[in-house]
């Protein structure tokens, strides 16, 4: 049995609390947050506290707080055990006030309003010694089939790629939905296309999947689209991404 | 029984030939393409021809060729029956050399290498009289649960939104994959995140789903990411989309 304490009350902490408390072989010993209210939801399944100085003993302490708060929270921890954070962009070394440190980064987008299935979620781990590697691998493997070891620089690169395929992609969804809403067309019509575009990647690669006017070098459609767009930011995005697609396939628009 | 003739040998023609020949209530009478080779695959299930002047009689002739070829192909058709094209960006009026005209636009991304399930695919139809509306609705409803009536301007707007959520989104997938490949990291690690980002839209809207450094106004991560990017086009895209996200949530980066 691996005992874990979770530190934080945000989306990542919530999702981890949920999956840990439903996993055999893991015991969620305690949750800490500076505002108790944010973790009251879990009061029935574990001990909750807002006093960081008197945490119970656990094998692993997982700090799931905002990037800029990690270092300070770590400094306030007066515990033994492995201390890890969950951030994609933050180096393991911000935990250097402790001896046994590591990273436990689940590559997924989390919100509180729906529980995700962890079994497919890639978990990127990093530690500085063999014993802790085994411990972290063990807990990660209980909740996910996809556990990877990456160092801090590699993890930053993965996080950067994730910004492109998640944050930026979602913003393009928003722009498409917003444009149709403004034109009194129900944007839900786009959903089957969005789903197919994403799921196609399971079998194929995005280079081969590309279609559309920019790839075809279809100047007539390109110009007609720019004319339909009234928002200057959307025009700019249309232009830049079309040109980037055209260049990728050795053409210029 | 509705009889149909398909004109064209590209991705859309292939997918329609496949779904029509597997649908009760529809008979695929004939397929035409100027190069027979491209439609030989269907020789066992229908008559194929490269002679546009001697087409058999059918209720509906569907022109599924490239946008710029539609008008000319239509002029060469010496048939009675309803004549429709499948283009998102092309007006119905390019078919004006005929009397009974319309549009049958399936909103999906097609390739030849895997058959899609049409039952969820939105089909946007347009015609100029009530009788043909019923005919087109009937055939569309046999293959899909999502049939919509939109005029040519509305259809162009839907196509433009589709460019954002499909063409541009797929290009961001490509950029993310390419970046990881260049850094010797297997890009498949991104797939579960991509899938969740897309499927979340079934329940939630993209405005609420947005996360990431640009939304949080996290300048430190923003600058660290720009430093990690070597490609000037990717930097430009990172900048523009981050600013657009920040502005959407009332902030400036």
């Amino acid at each position: 049995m691996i005992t874990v304490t979770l530190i934080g009350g945000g989306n990542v902490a919530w999702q981890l609390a949920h999956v840990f408390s439903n996993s055999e072989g893991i015991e969620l010993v305690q949750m800490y947050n500076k505002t108790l209210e944010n973790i009251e939801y879990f009061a029935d399944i574990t001990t909750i506290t807002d006093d960081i100085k008197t945490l119970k003993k656990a094998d692993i302490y997982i700090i799931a707080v905002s990037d800029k708060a990690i270092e300070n929270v770590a400094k306030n921890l007066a515990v033994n055990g492995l201390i890890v954070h969950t951030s994609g962009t933050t180096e393991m070394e911000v935990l250097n006030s402790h001896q046994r440190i590591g990273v436990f980064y689940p590559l997924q987008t989390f919100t509180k309003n729906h529980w995700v299935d962890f079994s497919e979620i890639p978990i990127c781990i990093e530690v500085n010694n063999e014993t802790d590697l085994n411990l972290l691998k063990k807990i990660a493997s209980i909740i996910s089939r996809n556990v990877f070891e990456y160092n801090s620089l590699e993890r930053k690169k993965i996080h950067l790629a994730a910004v492109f395929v998640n944050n930026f992609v979602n913003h393009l969804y928003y722009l498409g939905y917003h444009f149709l809403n403004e034109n009194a067309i129900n944007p839900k019509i786009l959903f089957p296309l969005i789903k197919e575009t994403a799921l196609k990647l399971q079998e194929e690669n995005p280079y081969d999947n590309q279609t559309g006017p920019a790839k075809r070098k279809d100047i007539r459609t390109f110009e007609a689209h720019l004319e339909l767009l009234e928002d200057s930011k959307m025009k700019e995005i249309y232009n830049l991404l079309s040109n980037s697609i055209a260049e990728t396939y050795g053409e210029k628009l």
Side-chain angles (χ1 to χ4, degrees), chain A:
Chain A
M1 181 68 74
I2 303 176
T3 52
V4 191
T5 290
L6 271 170
I7 292 156
N11 298 338
V12 178
W14 272 53
Q15 294 288 342
L16 289 176
H18 183 257
V19 68
F20 287 156
S21 57
N22 286 294
S23 297
E24 273 186 52
I26 300 175
E27 189 193 339
L28 182 59
V29 171
Q30 195 171 27
M31 268 183 104
Y32 158 85
N33 197 52
K34 61 180 177 202
T35 322
L36 261 190
E37 216 187 338
N38 293 356
I39 52 172
E40 239 163 33
Y41 181 90
F42 299 100
D44 289 345
I45 59 163
T46 188
T47 318
I48 62 171
T49 178
D50 58 0
D51 179 7
I52 201 164
K53 292 295 175 199
T54 61
L55 293 184
K56 293 187 187 179
K57 198 173 146 33
D59 297 322
I60 308 178
Y61 296 83
I62 300 183
I63 304 177
V65 300
S66 69
D67 293 354
K68 53 179 185 287
I70 296 171
E71 193 165 357
N72 250 326
V73 167
K75 282 186 182 150
N76 284 324
L77 278 182
V79 293
N80 289 311
L82 176 59
I83 295 169
V84 302
H85 71 64
T86 58
S87 163
T89 47
T90 310
E91 280 144 46
M92 180 170 70
E93 285 68 31
V94 301
L95 305 173
N96 268 345
S97 53
H98 296 270
Q99 268 212 313
R100 294 176 52 207
I101 59 176
V103 180
F104 183 93
Y105 169 53
L107 180 57
Q108 189 50 281
T109 174
F110 296 118
T111 43
K112 283 179 183 164
N113 46 8
H114 89 134
W115 300 123
V116 301
D117 171 12
F118 268 80
S119 60
E120 302 289 340
I121 295 180
I123 296 179
C124 303
I125 59 174
E126 181 180 6
V127 281
N128 59 11
N129 71 71
E130 200 70 23
T131 317
D132 289 339
L133 178 63
N134 290 334
L135 179 60
L136 214 51
K137 256 192 192 161
K138 199 170 159 192
I139 183 169
S141 306
I142 293 176
I143 62 171
S144 168
R145 279 193 285 275
N146 296 317
V147 181
F148 302 94
E149 232 186 303
Y150 285 116
N151 65 34
S152 289
L153 180 60
E154 289 166 328
R155 193 173 56 253
K156 278 184 192 178
K157 288 174 175 172
I158 292 169
H159 180 264
L160 173 51
V163 166
F164 277 81
V165 304
N166 164 256
N167 298 167
F168 293 167
V169 159
N170 185 69
H171 187 57
L172 293 178
Y173 294 161
Y174 165 73
L175 293 176
Y177 272 50
H178 181 67
F179 179 74
L180 289 190
N181 273 326
E182 295 243 300
N183 285 284
I185 296 167
N186 188 339
K188 290 262 174 198
I189 197 170
L190 298 173
F191 182 69
L193 176 63
I194 285 171
K195 186 174 159 187
E196 171 80 2
T197 307
L199 296 186
K200 241 181 177 174
L201 287 182
Q202 193 141 30
E203 314 277 305
E204 324 278 339
N205 73 71
Y207 184 88
D208 294 337
N209 289 349
Q210 190 65 51
T211 57
K215 165 133 188 241
R216 287 196 306 273
K217 213 187 154 190
D218 174 355
I219 304 276
R220 210 172 57 164
T221 301
F222 176 77
E223 284 172 355
H225 279 169
L226 283 180
E227 213 163 295
L228 273 177
L229 288 170
E230 280 166 13
D231 182 87
S232 66
K233 197 61 124 199
M234 275 186 91
K235 263 188 214 279
E236 233 183 304
I237 291 170
Y238 188 94
N239 242 315
L240 182 60
L241 289 174
S242 294
N243 278 302
S244 181
I245 292 171
E247 277 177 29
T248 301
Y249 296 89
E251 305 275 6
K252 278 215 158 187
L253 273 177

